[in-house]
Amino acid sequence: MAGKAAEAARELAAEGVPQALASGDSTLWGPSAEAEAAIRLGWLNLPLTSRELIPEITNLVEKAQAEHLDHVVLAGMGGSSLAPEVITATADVPLTVLDTTDPGQVLRALRDRLERTIVVVASKSGGTVETDSHRRIYEQAFRDAGIDPADRIVVVTDPGSPLEQLAIDSGYNIILADPNVGGRYSALSAFGLVPSALAGADVVSLLDEAADVHPLLGEGEGNPGLELGAAIGAAALAGRDKLLLEDALSEINGLPDWIEQLIAESTGKQGLGVLPVVGADPGGAGDELVAVIGTGDGDLRVEGPLGAQFLIWEYATAIAGRLLGIDPFDQPNVAESKANTNELLAAAGEGPLPVGQPLLTDGPVEVYGELPGNPKDLSDVLTILLNQVPGEGYLAIMAYLDRLAAFDIPVAEDASFDEMADAWTAADPATLRALLAVRTDRPVTFGWGPRFLHSTGQYHKGGPQNGVFLQITGAVAEDVPVPGKPYTLGRLQLAQALGDLGALTGRGRPAVRLHLTDRVAGIAHLLHAAREV
């Protein structure tokens, strides 16, 4: 593998690709990609250009501190949320991220120190339905509490977006991002820096770390972005297109989740792509490529501080796209699920959404979909799904649930940390990934909906058509109206799940929806069934 990667890097260097990319050459991905690339290469110079934002960000931080606004909430999706989540987790500063339409998760944030809350509403287009819903809900909550939303809402968006005009009309603080940077390449832009700085992260050091490696991007030798991109691209062309991401020994927290979005959404199109797999142990399959963040054993090892990692992975993704022959800057299939969601909501009006009839019911879990073999219970369903994964395929678990609910599980006051962790794991739907992974030699991924729609959702629909899909939804105990809209968060969440399921089944891929009529009992029952497979 190392030989093919080195050969690919040499060929790219001989063609002048590193220098061309570093200088912003939009022709590198072919004529069909040129127009998009021409307005998407601003990320290359963010380590330098984003410094212009620092005085404005500093003023914003000082104002928030003076007003004792120490609960920072970020309403954003995809690149607008994943990078700040990594930055703040690595800096060990608190940030509440809302990249969900789950009513329980939003209510938890709303009920936490509203009087000391500042909300960053981040959307490049200004029309992201999740973020728009969060803004509307917080505006209403602030007004109900006698707080002027203009004192508490900060908007990060592109110049000329509908959100910019709304923010101007509402008197909100606005910080404009570079319009020539796509969402998943925006870690070092205003989208990454503003919420992170408000939360307490040192964003100047982050830019310094990226600036240190910036001069290497035009080099044909000693260029870590070129070497990484050549390795990923050459491996994928040779059939090793499942990229296992490990960071167990790294001082950086959560980077694989950000890399997952970057690579899956950038490369998963035209029936091609690299599937990032987070949290999995290597299984020795022939299509695996193991990348280690920091120290450890793997096919690839990527070392360096977080700012440098952001820039190098972005560069590497652009290089891999060149090798694969795809446009790494568009996302042609992302809008499909959004359109399905809108159609479902419009067609249903005030009536129930078209969920269909369950194939079977096993305790607090209803099973929807079509499966061969006449399954009798939930364990049969999981067994059939695993057996349907093709030799080069994968199983994707997609949970439209509250990703923090497991931490609400009561534990004894004198419980040790290990005992608390065991209790949380037993209540966490993400545990299903590990339980099923040990029962197959194929990769198993896990995504929280609708968050993954702005990430691996593109790969699911545009990448190789060899996925099998397990979707999980749940009954809503307490819903949240979306002010000014004819739906609640719970209704929107279910419509998003059904819309994406339709996009998957329309491609003929096996897909099943599990609906938890009681979320706590349903998760426990589901994990028990997985152990019986």
Side-chain angles (χ1 to χ4, degrees):
M1 182 59 235
K4 290 182 179 179
E7 181 181 356
R10 285 194 298 270
E11 290 178 358
L12 289 165
E15 295 167 5
V17 170
Q19 298 90 334
L21 178 53
S23 65
D25 185 345
S26 61
T27 67
L28 289 171
W29 301 274
S32 62
E34 186 173 350
E36 182 76 18
I39 57 171
R40 288 292 176 262
L41 292 171
W43 54 271
L44 285 158
N45 292 311
L46 287 177
L48 309 178
T49 58
S50 283
R51 293 178 189 277
E52 300 169 3
L53 298 171
I54 296 303
E56 192 174 3
I57 293 174
T58 300
N59 289 339
L60 191 64
V61 170
E62 291 175 348
K63 181 173 182 289
Q65 290 174 341
E67 296 175 4
H68 307 291
L69 302 179
D70 57 359
H71 181 214
V72 183
V73 175
L74 169 60
M77 299 299 294
S80 298
S81 64
L82 287 165
E85 195 166 65
V86 177
I87 295 168
T88 54
T90 299
D92 195 24
V93 293
L95 177 68
T96 297
V97 176
L98 287 184
D99 54 1
T100 181
T101 46
D102 187 84
Q105 196 168 329
V106 173
L107 283 169
R108 183 184 292 102
L110 277 171
R111 291 167 176 167
D112 182 10
R113 296 166 289 162
L114 184 67
E115 73 283 358
R116 291 171 17 218
T117 293
I118 183 169
V119 180
V120 179
V121 177
S123 172
K124 180 178 174 64
S125 68
T128 308
V129 65
E130 300 93 344
T131 305
D132 179 68
S133 298
H134 300 149
R135 174 187 60 79
R136 291 169 180 268
I137 290 166
Y138 263 99
E139 285 175 342
Q140 186 66 55
F142 284 137
R143 291 192 187 104
D144 290 347
I147 299 170
D148 185 351
D151 294 333
R152 299 299 187 87
I153 293 179
V154 177
V155 166
V156 180
T157 190
D158 276 4
S161 78
L163 183 57
E164 182 195 11
Q165 188 57 54
L166 183 148
I168 292 171
D169 295 342
S170 302
Y172 297 156
N173 283 299
I174 308 169
I175 296 186
L176 296 176
D178 186 336
N180 294 312
V181 178
R184 57 189 178 273
Y185 291 81
S186 65
L188 298 172
S189 77
F191 288 105
L193 302 183
V194 172
S196 302
L198 280 167
D202 182 353
V203 297
V204 174
S205 292
L206 192 75
L207 294 176
D208 289 343
E209 293 164 0
D212 286 343
V213 297
H214 186 264
L216 302 176
L217 301 187
E219 301 299 321
E221 294 184 7
N223 181 339
L226 174 65
E227 293 167 2
L228 179 59
I232 293 171
L237 291 172
R240 298 177 67 179
D241 59 354
K242 311 300 188 299
L243 182 66
L244 275 62
L245 297 165
E246 296 186 353
D247 69 342
L249 301 178
S250 172
E251 294 181 356
I252 300 172
N253 292 321
L255 188 61
D257 285 336
W258 176 83
I259 296 171
E260 178 185 50
Q261 183 229 200
L262 174 70
I263 290 182
E265 197 170 41
S266 296
T267 69
K269 56 200 72 169
Q270 300 173 26
L272 302 169
V274 175
L275 177 68
V277 184
V278 177
D281 293 325
D287 57 351
E288 290 180 358
L289 183 72
V290 180
V292 175
I293 312 301
T295 59
D297 295 326
D299 301 302
L300 307 173
R301 192 171 70 206
V302 188
E303 298 179 273
L306 180 56
Q309 292 267 1
F310 280 142
L311 188 60
I312 293 307
W313 280 100
E314 289 166 348
Y315 187 99
T317 301
I319 290 291
R322 159 87 177 195
L323 289 173
L324 292 172
I326 53 92
D327 178 357
F329 306 112
D330 69 350
Q331 48 280 333
N333 304 106
V334 166
E336 185 176 344
S337 293
K338 298 178 186 178
N340 288 353
T341 296
N342 293 336
E343 289 172 8
L344 284 166
L345 289 170
E350 295 183 0
L353 292 169
V355 297
Q357 293 297 316
L359 174 69
L360 64 91
T361 300
D362 185 343
V365 182
E366 296 173 341
V367 180
Y368 293 83
E370 297 181 4
L371 286 172
N374 192 26
K376 302 296 191 300
D377 57 22
L378 198 48
S379 291
D380 281 354
V381 170
L382 298 176
T383 299
I384 291 170
L385 283 174
L386 288 172
N387 289 337
Q388 286 184 307
V389 180
E392 300 300 317
Y394 63 99
L395 173 66
I397 304 169
M398 308 161 294
Y400 287 80
L401 300 169
D402 178 349
R403 66 182 173 117
L404 300 177
F407 299 111
D408 294 337
I409 296 298
V411 295
E413 290 186 8
D414 59 348
S416 68
F417 178 78
D418 287 343
E419 289 171 332
M420 288 190 292
D422 288 343
W424 295 332
T425 299
D428 189 351
T431 302
L432 182 62
R433 193 211 65 77
L435 291 176
L436 294 183
V438 299
R439 289 158 172 82
T440 177
D441 59 358
R442 303 310 308 140
V444 181
T445 66
F446 184 93
W448 295 102
R451 163 182 168 135
F452 79 87
L453 292 177
H454 301 258
S455 174
T456 51
Q458 167 62 44
Y459 182 94
H460 291 167
K461 292 176 278 291
Q465 294 300 297
N466 55 18
V468 173
F469 301 93
L470 176 61
Q471 186 185 86
I472 310 171
T473 57
V476 172
E478 184 180 3
D479 213 339
V480 179
V482 179
K485 292 294 183 179
Y487 48 75
T488 62
L489 282 183
R491 187 173 177 82
L492 174 59
Q493 182 185 42
L494 180 57
Q496 289 178 311
L498 296 176
D500 192 50
L501 196 64
L504 297 170
T505 56
R507 287 171 166 76
R509 299 312 310 158
V512 166
R513 179 170 72 94
L514 306 181
H515 184 69
L516 314 179
T517 55
D518 178 300
R519 291 196 181 197
V520 174
I523 291 167
H525 192 68
L526 176 57
L527 298 183
H528 175 76
R531 294 185 182 96
E532 298 296 313
V533 171

